């Protein structure tokens, strides 16, 4: 397409330039996925919901999304908007060599795991006596972690003979080695009473 003009152009011939360049793979992204929130379980294992689909394929090019994805939280502890790394998606098809695939970046929350505190049954005293320290059991702690408690359960006020609901009172958790308070919440199992005879 280059030409030469001018008074003396007839005295010359023109050789078109020979050039080279690269055609790089077109980046494809994956849409349609949402990171799933989960309750704290001590691991970075994550999951996602939705239907993964390719975005960016040109015209009638044959490119298919395949592979077995895996998802990993950036941290194992409680938090919001935690990044999730995705791996395992691949592309196949006649035109797959013309494309590159970017794994999806997702986020989700890890919420506190509930520790169920259940007051022991048949806790009582005789009218006029001093209240005993209220005892309890608990469930819900991740294996290998040992919680530490401080303060005590309390009961509804009153000193007359009868039944009084037991509540969490000032019972709380504290950090202890692998056990971190921020990863847990205390939940009272209702329906257990303290009795004054």
């Amino acid at each position: 397409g280059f030409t030469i003009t001018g008074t003396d152009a007839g005295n010359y011939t023109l050789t078109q330039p020979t050039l080279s360049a690269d055609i790089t793979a077109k980046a494809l992204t994956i849409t349609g996925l949402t990171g799933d929130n989960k309750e704290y379980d001590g691991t970075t294992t994550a999951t996602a919901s939705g239907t993964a689909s390719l975005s960016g394929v040109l015209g009638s090019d044959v490119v298919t999304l395949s592979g077995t994805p895996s998802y990993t939280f950036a941290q194992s502890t409680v938090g919001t908007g935690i990044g999730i790394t995705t791996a395992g998606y691949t592309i196949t098809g006649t035109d797959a060599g013309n494309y590159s695939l970017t794994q999806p970046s997702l986020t989700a929350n890890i919420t506190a795991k509930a520790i169920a505190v259940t007051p022991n049954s048949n806790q009582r005293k005789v009218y006029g006596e001093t209240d005993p320290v209220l005892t309890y059991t608990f469930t819900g702690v991740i294996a290998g972690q040992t919680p530490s408690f401080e303060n005590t359960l309390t009961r509804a006020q009153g000193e007359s003979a009868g039944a009084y609901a037991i509540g969490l009172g000032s019972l709380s958790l504290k950090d202890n080695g692998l056990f971190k308070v921020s990863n847990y919440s205390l939940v009272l199992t209702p329906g257990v009473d303290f009795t004054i005879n």
Side-chain angles (χ1 to χ4, degrees):
F2 282 113
T3 61
I4 53 175
T5 59
T7 305
D8 300 302
N11 297 322
Y12 296 89
T13 60
L14 178 65
T15 300
Q16 299 290 327
T18 300
L19 308 174
S20 66
D22 300 332
I23 298 177
T24 58
K26 185 179 189 319
L28 300 180
T29 57
I30 297 173
T31 61
L33 295 175
T34 302
D36 296 330
N37 298 334
K38 75 168 185 177
E39 184 181 75
Y40 171 72
D41 63 4
T43 74
T44 57
T45 301
T47 58
S49 299
T51 302
S53 60
L54 283 175
S55 176
V57 177
L58 298 176
S60 59
D61 281 1
V62 178
V63 184
T64 302
L65 182 64
S66 58
T68 301
S70 62
Y71 308 96
T72 306
F73 275 109
Q75 65 187 55
S76 64
T77 53
V78 167
T80 58
I82 303 168
I84 296 175
T85 300
T86 306
Y89 280 112
T90 58
I91 51 175
T92 58
T94 307
D95 300 298
N98 294 322
Y99 295 90
S100 64
L101 180 64
T102 300
Q103 302 289 326
S105 295
L106 308 174
T107 61
N109 305 331
I110 297 178
T111 58
K113 181 171 176 56
I115 294 178
V117 174
T118 304
N120 293 327
S121 59
N122 297 317
Q123 299 192 75
R124 60 187 64 241
K125 73 172 184 176
V126 174
Y127 172 75
E129 292 181 346
T130 301
D131 280 18
V133 175
L134 298 174
T135 59
Y136 56 89
T137 59
F138 63 89
T139 58
V141 180
I142 299 298
Q145 298 185 12
T146 303
S148 292
F149 293 87
E150 53 188 357
N151 304 315
T152 59
L153 299 176
T154 58
R155 65 172 177 86
Q157 292 183 344
E159 291 300 329
S160 299
Y164 297 85
I166 297 176
L168 274 177
S170 59
L171 187 69
S172 61
L173 297 165
K174 61 181 180 179
D175 288 346
N176 176 20
L178 293 176
F179 182 88
K180 300 300 179 185
V181 172
S182 58
N183 293 324
Y184 292 91
S185 62
L186 287 182
V187 177
L188 181 75
T189 302
V192 182
D193 292 334
F194 178 81
T195 303
I196 299 178
N197 294 325

